[in-house]
Amino acid sequence: MFVSISTTGTAENPASDLGFLLHKHPDKVQRFATAHGTAHVFYPEAGEQACTAALLLEIDPTALLRQGRGKGRSGSPDLALAQYVNDRPYAASSLLAVALRTVYRSAMKGECAHRPELPGRALPLRIALPAVPVAGGEGPELVERLFAPVGWQVDARPVPLDESFPEWGDSRYVRLELTGTLRLADALQHLYVLLPVLDGSKHYWVAPDEVDKLLAAGQGWLADHPERALIIRRYLSRRWSLTRLATERLALARLAEADDREAEEIDNAVPDVPDVPDVSDAPGTADAPGIADTADATTATATAEEVNPTGPTGSAGPIAAVAEVAGAAEGGRERGESLAAQRRTAILAALARTGAARVLDLGCGQGELVGALLKEPRVTEVLGVDVSSLALTIAARRLRLDRLPERQARRVKLVQGALTYTDARLKGYDAAVLCEVIEHLDLPRLPALEYAVFGAARPGSVVVTTPNAEYNVRWETLPAGHKRHDDHRFEWGRAEFAAWTEQVAADYGYTVELEPVGPVDPEVGAPTQLAHFRLAEPATTEPAATESTATIEPVTTGPDAAGPPVTGTPSHDHAPEGSAHR
């Protein structure tokens, strides 16, 4: 098994600098032990004008067979064509990819202590591999599809089964030569990922940590590769659970990069604490900090959204029971109905007045509103969108999407997507709901959401709920000046919310009606304010988006997706929501 890496240079930038990048001295022949044999590194040529580094991997067939018989990480069902006769010692497969990572680890990371400026420099490279297996009979065409999009000129020539008998046709192997001007670290990462993809198998068991390896090696190029779905599926040996996980994490990373944020900032919709059962409605009862309202329970339970989960010092603070403010509510509401449940009731009533059958739940969180919508016979389709893959996974489990009858399963989908970007999948719906979402955005980003929802998706009606900041004084345990949740970027009073709704309605051709949700205090109003927008005559002009409106292409998961219907890929600029509050 053989691979050579060549480059050219000048007197100012000699080609022999390749030795610094690879951390291998051109004047030496070095040997490195691997799990299945020995890797030899040597330089057929090393001068100012040209330099070539070669890696020859000698596989011990006995060690390979012995390792392949094991279970777990040491064995793989794809290891051998037969126990004693196979192509593994000769073909550029996962064995060579692992050897590259072992021998050229520092170069693959882009590290060079002696010449730190070298790893960032693009070099004219030529990589030659005499025998590369290509699964599926696609041959040179697949090689071109995989390597060309990342900057390589590809020369892939089929190897005949027997040159003496050309009528037998070509084998599944190609002689591969790649040329291009790239960073050496990028070139090695391409080989590390794409060689096993071409081969279609690995010599070891694919464990969950392979997802981390794939995303690390694919950083900067995999997310935008036109064949990324095929690459992920084959690299992870077609294990659907790992494929789904890798796809979700990759899409989340793309959204984070687009928003110039860390992925952890975006996928923060679900607190890192377990669900807990509802507790007593006695005054002063407190949930664990950050626990969300989990169901349509009639027990009075304080939710993370209704108070700030941390006190003035940043430690967990006391939480007032909802029973004190929402228990003996007006209008004959049953004692103990949580504010979250009252919101859902108000939203369902608003949607019923319009007769909406196809509904978007934007910032769907853990799916409480989605579940309530599915109970409405009038509703024929629900699309839940959220940024948090964890929240969507929980929603899929709670909704039992994998157990629903086919007819019911066709009514619901859960997808990831950012609400500050336009998304063609959101067009054509009767209604959209933004339940406790807008307050999780920085105010400068709010116009981007307005355009994406009201301007681009343009449903027939939109229901928006948000906290009434004036009512905060009625929360006895909420410190003055604090917001109800630590992820809220703003909270509006009634006048501010009314002014915003009127402006949005005027800009995008909607009418709007406001109504309170929860017990109405004569001085400060209700704890939640609801706006119901209805599409009037189409607006003559649509304001331009103030943020980038490039469509993100998150992955859809649900009954129509490959594999079991579990979550999808990111949806909202911050973890709005819902995630924790529906």
Side-chain angles (χ1 to χ4, degrees):
M1 199 180 302
F2 180 86
V3 58
S4 66
I5 303 174
S6 304
T7 187
T8 57
T10 63
E12 294 78 18
N13 298 300
S16 56
D17 284 348
L18 183 64
F20 286 100
L21 284 169
L22 294 175
H23 292 255
K24 305 294 179 287
H25 200 289
D27 294 336
K28 297 180 180 179
V29 175
Q30 296 176 267
R31 294 176 176 83
F32 303 88
T34 70
H36 303 94
T38 303
H40 306 265
V41 177
F42 57 95
Y43 288 76
E45 59 179 342
E48 288 185 355
Q49 301 299 320
C51 183
T52 298
L55 187 152
L56 175 66
L57 181 61
E58 288 187 305
I59 296 297
D60 180 353
T62 304
L64 185 64
L65 176 62
R66 187 181 302 117
Q67 291 278 353
R69 283 176 174 168
K71 296 181 179 180
R73 291 183 57 85
S74 61
S76 167
D78 296 325
L79 172 63
L81 301 175
Q83 283 194 344
Y84 295 100
V85 180
N86 61 71
D87 66 349
R88 300 297 86 178
Y90 315 105
S93 61
S94 60
L95 286 161
L96 181 58
V98 170
L100 286 170
R101 187 169 184 260
T102 302
V103 176
Y104 297 143
R105 182 179 298 272
S106 296
M108 190 175 291
K109 291 180 178 179
E111 298 174 350
C112 183
H114 295 290
R115 301 281 300 278
E117 77 282 1
L118 287 181
R121 183 186 303 169
L123 303 176
L125 297 174
R126 179 173 60 83
I127 297 177
L129 298 112
V132 178
V134 182
E138 297 181 81
E141 179 187 351
L142 179 59
V143 180
E144 179 82 21
R145 283 161 45 201
L146 293 181
F147 282 98
V150 290
W152 293 104
Q153 294 179 354
V154 180
D155 182 7
R157 302 181 182 182
V159 176
L161 284 171
D162 192 320
E163 293 181 355
S164 302
F165 300 93
E167 65 272 16
W168 289 2
D170 297 326
S171 68
R172 75 185 192 103
Y173 307 96
V174 299
R175 294 186 180 94
L176 178 60
E177 185 173 295
L178 304 170
T179 55
T181 302
L182 296 89
R183 296 190 318 128
L184 180 63
D186 295 334
L188 292 173
Q189 288 170 349
H190 297 161
L191 293 175
Y192 176 73
V193 172
L194 297 180
L195 287 179
V197 170
L198 286 170
D199 187 28
S201 66
K202 288 193 171 183
H203 68 280
Y204 56 89
W205 180 255
V206 175
D209 61 355
E210 289 296 296
V211 174
D212 296 325
K213 296 177 185 177
L214 172 62
L215 297 185
Q219 187 173 6
W221 62 272
L222 180 57
D224 297 320
H225 199 292
E227 298 291 342
R228 69 175 178 272
L230 179 145
I231 293 170
I232 294 172
R233 184 171 64 253
R234 285 198 176 190
Y235 184 88
L236 298 172
S237 296
R238 298 174 177 82
R239 293 189 60 188
W240 69 263
S241 59
L242 298 184
T243 299
R244 188 189 72 237
L245 175 61
T247 304
E248 291 173 359
R249 288 179 54 185
L250 188 62
L252 181 62
R254 294 175 70 206
L255 288 174
E257 183 179 2
D259 277 353
D260 194 23
R261 298 175 181 272
E262 295 296 328
E264 292 76 10
E265 292 184 67
I266 295 181
D267 194 2
N268 66 352
V270 180
D272 295 328
V273 289
D275 291 342
V276 295
D278 290 337
V279 293
S280 157
D281 63 348
T285 300
D287 279 345
I291 294 293
D293 175 63
T294 58
D296 293 323
T298 56
T299 308
T301 306
T303 68
E305 173 235 1
E306 287 155 353
V307 292
N308 191 323
T310 57
T313 62
S315 58
I319 298 179
V322 174
E324 295 180 0
V325 290
E330 299 177 5
R333 292 191 185 276
E334 181 180 349
R335 172 180 174 79
E337 186 180 26
S338 71
L339 182 56
Q342 294 182 45
R343 270 197 306 269
R344 287 193 292 275
T345 300
I347 291 169
L348 293 174
L351 295 176
R353 290 195 293 271
T354 65
R358 302 177 69 240
V359 181
L360 294 167
D361 185 3
L362 304 177
C364 66
Q366 299 181 35
E368 286 86 352
L369 180 59
V370 172
L373 288 167
L374 291 176
K375 295 177 183 177
E376 297 288 323
R378 179 193 73 258
V379 176
T380 59
E381 182 180 347
V382 181
L383 178 64
V385 184
D386 200 278
V387 69
S388 171
S389 60
L390 176 57
L392 291 168
T393 299
I394 294 173
R397 186 177 69 242
R398 287 181 169 177
L399 296 169
R400 295 180 173 85
L401 294 189
D402 57 337
R403 302 179 187 177
L404 288 178
E406 183 178 353
R407 182 178 177 184
Q408 282 287 85
R410 285 199 298 264
R411 297 175 63 205
V412 60
K413 282 186 182 178
L414 302 178
V415 302
Q416 284 179 300
L419 300 186
T420 49
Y421 296 88
T422 60
D423 190 336
R425 297 171 304 173
L426 307 186
K427 293 183 178 181
Y429 282 81
D430 300 328
V433 178
L434 291 160
C435 179
E436 308 301 288
V437 169
I438 60 173
E439 65 272 12
H440 292 264
L441 273 73
D442 295 314
L443 277 171
R445 301 188 63 78
L446 193 55
L449 177 142
E450 296 167 9
Y451 177 79
V453 176
F454 294 90
R458 208 158 181 76
S461 68
V462 181
V463 179
V464 180
T465 71
T466 193
N468 172 18
E470 299 172 59
Y471 197 91
N472 289 351
V473 297
R474 296 295 186 256
W475 302 114
E476 295 182 0
T477 56
L478 180 63
H482 282 237
K483 299 179 178 63
R484 300 187 193 180
H485 191 275
D486 56 1
D487 191 52
H488 286 185
R489 306 311 169 94
F490 64 89
E491 288 178 357
W492 279 331
R494 288 170 290 178
E496 293 169 300
F497 183 58
W500 176 78
T501 60
E502 291 172 4
Q503 183 63 52
V504 170
D507 286 345
Y508 295 99
Y510 284 78
T511 60
V512 63
E513 297 177 359
L514 302 179
E515 65 180 80
V517 178
V520 178
D521 185 285
E523 296 180 358
V524 297
T528 294
Q529 35 194 348
L530 180 148
H532 189 187
F533 297 84
R534 300 192 191 193
L535 189 60
E537 291 299 323
T540 55
T541 59
E542 291 183 358
T546 58
E547 298 277 340
S548 166
T549 56
T551 299
I552 296 292
E553 297 179 1
V555 173
T556 302
T557 59
D560 296 334
V566 196
T567 44
T569 333
S571 124
H572 176 67
D573 184 60
H574 299 287
E577 32 322 344
S579 263
H581 313 321
R582 301 264 244 263

Coordinates of all heavy atoms in Angstrom, one line a residue, residues 357-392:
A357 N -55.5 24.8 8.8 CA -55.4 23.4 8.7 C -53.9 23.0 8.7 O -53.5 21.9 9.2 CB -56.1 22.8 7.5
R358 N -53.1 23.8 8.1 CA -51.6 23.5 8.0 C -50.9 24.6 8.8 O -50.9 25.7 8.5 CB -51.2 23.5 6.5 CG -51.9 22.5 5.6 CD -51.5 22.6 4.2 NE -50.1 22.1 4.0 CZ -49.1 22.8 3.5 NH1 -49.3 24.1 3.2 NH2 -47.9 22.3 3.4
V359 N -50.2 24.1 9.8 CA -49.7 25.1 10.8 C -48.2 24.9 11.0 O -47.7 23.7 11.1 CB -50.4 24.9 12.2 CG1 -49.9 25.9 13.2 CG2 -51.9 25.0 12.0
L360 N -47.5 26.0 11.1 CA -46.0 26.0 11.5 C -45.9 26.3 13.0 O -46.5 27.3 13.4 CB -45.3 27.1 10.7 CG -45.2 27.0 9.2 CD1 -44.7 28.3 8.6 CD2 -44.2 25.8 8.8
D361 N -45.1 25.5 13.7 CA -44.8 25.9 15.1 C -43.3 26.3 15.1 O -42.4 25.4 15.0 CB -45.0 24.7 16.0 CG -44.8 25.0 17.5 OD1 -44.5 26.2 17.7 OD2 -44.8 24.1 18.3
L362 N -43.0 27.6 15.0 CA -41.7 28.1 14.8 C -41.0 28.3 16.2 O -41.5 29.1 17.0 CB -41.7 29.4 14.1 CG -42.4 29.3 12.7 CD1 -42.5 30.7 12.0 CD2 -41.7 28.3 11.8
G363 N -40.0 27.5 16.5 CA -39.5 27.5 17.9 C -40.3 26.5 18.7 O -40.7 26.7 19.7
C364 N -40.4 25.3 18.1 CA -41.4 24.3 18.7 C -40.9 23.7 20.0 O -41.6 23.0 20.7 CB -41.7 23.2 17.7 SG -40.2 22.1 17.3
G365 N -39.6 23.8 20.3 CA -39.0 23.2 21.5 C -39.3 21.8 21.6 O -39.1 21.0 20.7
Q366 N -39.8 21.4 22.8 CA -40.0 19.9 23.1 C -41.3 19.4 22.7 O -41.7 18.3 23.0 CB -39.7 19.7 24.6 CG -38.3 20.1 25.0 CD -38.1 19.8 26.5 OE1 -38.6 18.9 27.0 NE2 -37.3 20.7 27.1
G367 N -42.1 20.2 21.9 CA -43.2 19.7 21.2 C -44.6 19.7 21.9 O -45.5 19.1 21.4
E368 N -44.7 20.5 23.0 CA -46.0 20.5 23.7 C -47.1 21.1 22.8 O -48.2 20.5 22.7 CB -45.9 21.3 25.0 CG -45.1 20.6 26.1 CD -43.6 20.8 26.0 OE1 -43.2 21.4 25.0 OE2 -42.9 20.4 27.0
L369 N -46.8 22.2 22.1 CA -47.8 22.8 21.2 C -48.1 21.9 20.0 O -49.2 21.8 19.6 CB -47.4 24.2 20.8 CG -48.4 24.9 19.9 CD1 -49.7 25.1 20.6 CD2 -47.8 26.3 19.4
V370 N -47.0 21.3 19.5 CA -47.2 20.3 18.4 C -48.2 19.2 18.8 O -49.1 18.9 18.0 CB -45.9 19.7 17.9 CG1 -46.1 18.6 16.9 CG2 -45.0 20.8 17.4
G371 N -48.0 18.7 20.0 CA -48.9 17.6 20.5 C -50.3 18.1 20.6 O -51.3 17.4 20.2
A372 N -50.5 19.4 21.1 CA -51.8 19.9 21.2 C -52.5 20.1 19.8 O -53.7 19.9 19.7 CB -51.8 21.2 22.0
L373 N -51.7 20.5 18.9 CA -52.2 20.7 17.5 C -52.7 19.4 16.9 O -53.7 19.3 16.2 CB -51.2 21.4 16.6 CG -50.9 22.9 16.9 CD1 -49.6 23.4 16.2 CD2 -52.1 23.8 16.5
L374 N -51.9 18.3 17.2 CA -52.3 17.1 16.6 C -53.6 16.5 17.1 O -54.2 15.6 16.5 CB -51.1 16.1 16.8 CG -49.8 16.3 16.0 CD1 -48.7 15.3 16.4 CD2 -50.1 16.3 14.5
K375 N -54.0 17.0 18.3 CA -55.3 16.6 18.9 C -56.5 17.3 18.2 O -57.6 16.9 18.5 CB -55.3 16.9 20.4 CG -54.3 16.0 21.1 CD -54.3 16.4 22.6 CE -53.2 15.7 23.4 NZ -53.2 16.1 24.8
E376 N -56.2 18.3 17.4 CA -57.2 19.0 16.7 C -57.6 18.3 15.4 O -56.7 18.3 14.5 CB -56.8 20.5 16.4 CG -56.5 21.3 17.7 CD -57.8 21.6 18.4 OE1 -58.8 21.9 17.8 OE2 -57.7 21.6 19.7
P377 N -58.8 17.8 15.2 CA -59.1 17.1 14.0 C -59.0 18.0 12.8 O -58.8 17.6 11.6 CB -60.6 16.7 14.2 CG -60.8 16.7 15.7 CD -59.9 17.8 16.2
R378 N -59.2 19.3 13.0 CA -59.1 20.3 11.9 C -57.7 20.4 11.3 O -57.5 20.7 10.1 CB -59.6 21.7 12.4 CG -59.5 22.8 11.3 CD -59.7 24.1 12.0 NE -58.5 24.6 12.7 CZ -58.3 24.5 14.0 NH1 -59.3 24.1 14.8 NH2 -57.2 24.9 14.5
V379 N -56.7 20.2 12.1 CA -55.3 20.4 11.6 C -54.8 19.1 10.9 O -54.8 18.0 11.4 CB -54.4 20.6 12.9 CG1 -52.9 20.7 12.4 CG2 -54.8 21.9 13.6
T380 N -54.4 19.3 9.6 CA -54.0 18.2 8.8 C -52.5 18.1 8.7 O -52.0 17.0 8.3 CB -54.6 18.4 7.4 OG1 -54.1 19.6 6.8 CG2 -56.1 18.4 7.4
E381 N -51.8 19.2 9.0 CA -50.3 19.1 8.9 C -49.7 20.1 9.9 O -50.1 21.2 10.1 CB -49.8 19.4 7.5 CG -48.3 19.4 7.3 CD -47.9 19.7 5.9 OE1 -48.7 19.8 5.0 OE2 -46.7 19.9 5.7
V382 N -48.6 19.6 10.6 CA -47.9 20.5 11.6 C -46.4 20.3 11.3 O -45.9 19.2 11.2 CB -48.1 20.1 13.0 CG1 -47.4 21.0 14.0 CG2 -49.6 20.1 13.4
L383 N -45.7 21.4 11.0 CA -44.3 21.4 10.9 C -43.7 22.2 12.0 O -43.9 23.3 12.2 CB -43.9 22.1 9.6 CG -42.4 22.3 9.3 CD1 -41.8 20.9 9.1 CD2 -42.1 23.1 8.0
G384 N -42.9 21.4 12.9 CA -42.3 22.0 14.0 C -40.8 22.3 13.7 O -40.1 21.5 13.1
V385 N -40.4 23.5 14.0 CA -39.0 24.0 13.6 C -38.4 24.5 14.9 O -38.9 25.2 15.7 CB -39.1 25.2 12.6 CG1 -37.7 25.6 12.2 CG2 -39.9 24.8 11.4
D386 N -37.1 24.0 15.1 CA -36.4 24.5 16.3 C -34.9 24.4 16.0 O -34.4 23.6 15.1 CB -36.7 23.7 17.5 CG -36.3 24.4 18.8 OD1 -35.2 24.4 19.2 OD2 -37.2 25.1 19.4
V387 N -34.1 25.2 16.7 CA -32.6 25.1 16.5 C -32.0 24.0 17.3 O -30.9 23.5 16.9 CB -32.0 26.4 17.0 CG1 -32.1 26.6 18.5 CG2 -30.5 26.5 16.5
S388 N -32.6 23.5 18.3 CA -32.0 22.5 19.2 C -32.3 21.1 18.8 O -33.4 20.7 18.8 CB -32.5 22.8 20.7 OG -32.0 21.7 21.5
S389 N -31.2 20.4 18.4 CA -31.4 19.0 18.1 C -31.8 18.2 19.3 O -32.6 17.2 19.2 CB -30.1 18.4 17.5 OG -29.0 18.5 18.4
L390 N -31.3 18.6 20.5 CA -31.8 17.9 21.7 C -33.2 18.1 21.9 O -34.0 17.1 22.3 CB -30.9 18.3 22.9 CG -31.3 17.8 24.3 CD1 -31.3 16.2 24.2 CD2 -30.4 18.3 25.3
A391 N -33.7 19.3 21.8 CA -35.1 19.6 22.0 C -36.0 18.8 21.0 O -37.0 18.3 21.4 CB -35.4 21.1 21.9
L392 N -35.5 18.7 19.8 CA -36.3 18.0 18.8 C -36.3 16.5 19.0 O -37.3 15.8 18.8 CB -35.7 18.3 17.4 CG -36.0 19.7 16.9 CD1 -35.1 20.0 15.6 CD2 -37.4 19.9 16.6

